[in-house]
Amino acid sequence: MSLRLPKVYPITDRSISSLSHEEQVRRLIAGGATFIQLREKTDSPKAFFEDATAALRVARDAGVTLIINDRVDIALALGADGVHLGQTDMPVTAARSLLGPQAIIGYSTHNIAQVKAALDLPIDYLAFGPIFETRSKQNPDPVAGLDALRNVRTIAGNLTIVAIGGIQRSNLSTVLSTGADSAAIISEILTTPDNIAKTLRELVLKRDGQLR
Ligand code: TZP
Ligand code: MG
């Protein structure tokens, strides 16, 4: 399985943006996002469900793909496009059984052993990181670095690779040229909430002069 993703893959975060997921999705879409992940680490399931319902409506109206971090139950209940799972979330095979063959499943890895183990799983993309230092994740794994990303590109074959962790304007092109198909970004896009659309547009344009 290999999924075509945009070069910049934004992830929502209420604690950084101080905005609802719905509003973040609106602004990200205004900036050209075509694939968004909702990531919620503190809200109650009920509150997240309600916000995510509104966010999904906005995404659907714009033809934008929306996936949910961690919560297979919420993704299923919403009819979202898929989930992003980590090493301690519901096993990928169980999620695939619940969500079906059409759902998008992304999976986080943090070292080469995890990447090798992931190659046998029914996933649509493999996330790898943190590539650089990040302050957006609690208890992050050790920084993996660009050399490890290069190694992941070699062993992952055709599988879509998403790099994550500390990706900014200054290192985006390097991350992509090192082998990532896409860069998942939180703080660089959300830290200045009034400029979310502008920042995203600039990040994508800076790369190659066109939105994709
Ligand atoms: N997983 C690995 S690093 C990270 C996650 C969720 C956070 C990435 O956020 P930022 O702000 O782009 O470094
Ligand atoms: Mg998770």
Side-chain angles (χ1 to χ4, degrees):
M1 272 172 271
S2 102
L3 175 71
R4 223 180 123 65
L5 286 176
K7 298 298 174 192
V8 178
Y9 165 0
I11 302 177
T12 60
D13 187 314
R14 282 186 316 110
S15 67
I16 293 176
S17 66
S18 312
L19 298 170
S20 67
H21 293 287
E22 178 190 13
E23 185 56 29
Q24 290 176 79
V25 165
R26 274 188 205 290
R27 294 183 191 194
L28 289 167
I29 291 173
T34 57
F35 189 101
I36 299 171
Q37 179 191 138
L38 301 190
R39 184 170 184 268
E40 176 56 62
K41 296 291 184 183
T42 56
D43 233 348
S44 67
K46 180 170 188 283
F48 181 44
F49 180 85
E50 284 165 8
D51 192 356
T53 301
L56 182 62
R57 201 174 302 126
V58 172
R60 285 273 185 271
D61 285 349
V64 165
T65 303
L66 192 87
I67 72 167
I68 307 291
N69 185 273
D70 295 344
R71 301 295 302 249
V72 176
D73 55 347
I74 290 179
L76 197 54
L78 289 172
D81 296 298
V83 290
H84 182 94
L85 300 173
Q87 293 288 320
T88 58
D89 292 319
M90 176 187 289
V92 166
T93 45
R96 176 62 73 198
S97 305
L98 286 172
L99 295 169
Q102 303 304 325
I104 295 167
I105 300 184
Y107 184 55
S108 284
T109 60
H110 312 291
N111 57 55
I112 298 300
Q114 290 175 356
V115 170
K116 287 182 177 162
L119 299 181
D120 294 328
L121 297 174
I123 58 176
D124 298 284
Y125 71 84
L126 179 97
F128 182 72
I131 305 299
F132 307 108
E133 253 180 63
T134 179
R135 299 200 315 186
S136 307
K137 188 177 187 185
Q138 288 208 323
N139 306 316
D141 285 81
V143 167
L146 290 167
D147 286 344
L149 175 61
R150 197 170 293 113
N151 197 0
V152 172
R153 177 74 280 163
T154 306
I155 64 182
N158 288 334
L159 186 57
T160 303
I161 298 172
V162 175
I164 187 164
I167 301 173
Q168 306 177 347
R169 282 176 184 76
S170 55
N171 57 32
L172 174 61
S173 332
T174 306
V175 165
L176 294 171
S177 63
T178 301
D181 298 298
S182 178
I185 302 180
I186 301 180
S187 53
E188 181 77 340
I189 298 172
L190 301 181
T191 301
T192 312
D194 285 348
N195 289 348
I196 287 174
K198 181 169 174 278
T199 307
L200 178 56
R201 214 165 266 284
E202 284 170 1
L203 276 170
V204 178
L205 287 171
K206 181 184 175 295
R207 236 198 89 254
D208 60 6
Q210 59 179 313
L211 288 170
R212 57 175 67 199

